Amino acid sequence: INGSGTYTFSGQNTYTGATTLTSGAAVANNATNPFGTGVFNLNGGTISTLVDTSLGNSSFVIANGGTPTIGGSHNMSFGSAIT
């Protein structure tokens, strides 16, 4: 995801590939695996949630020099470590 827009993920996501957030915003509007289950590369941008959610990605990787923001007013639990 790269751009100034906001991408809202609703419904259970069965995508298993890698996702990279470079800029813009990825918003979870689903309680289970809104961003799929593959590697989530956080190079920048913002991830947030509109509902309490559990992220089931296999890993979360912050790139060298990456400055992602985690926002929102709901609980967001990560299913694996952020490295």
Side-chain angles (χ1 to χ4, degrees):
I1 300 169
N2 189 10
S4 60
T6 298
Y7 303 88
T8 302
F9 296 82
S10 299
Q12 183 156 349
N13 190 341
T14 58
Y15 176 66
T16 59
T19 300
T20 300
L21 176 63
T22 302
S23 60
V27 179
N29 190 21
N30 169 9
T32 307
N33 301 334
F35 305 130
T37 58
V39 174
F40 199 121
N41 298 298
L42 301 166
N43 297 347
T46 300
I47 62 170
S48 63
T49 183
L50 299 175
V51 297
D52 290 351
T53 191
S54 175
L55 304 180
N57 297 82
S58 60
S59 65
F60 297 88
V61 179
I62 297 176
N64 287 339
T67 56
T69 301
I70 299 173
S73 59
H74 293 274
N75 295 319
M76 185 185 311
S77 64
F78 294 83
S80 60
I82 299 173
T83 58

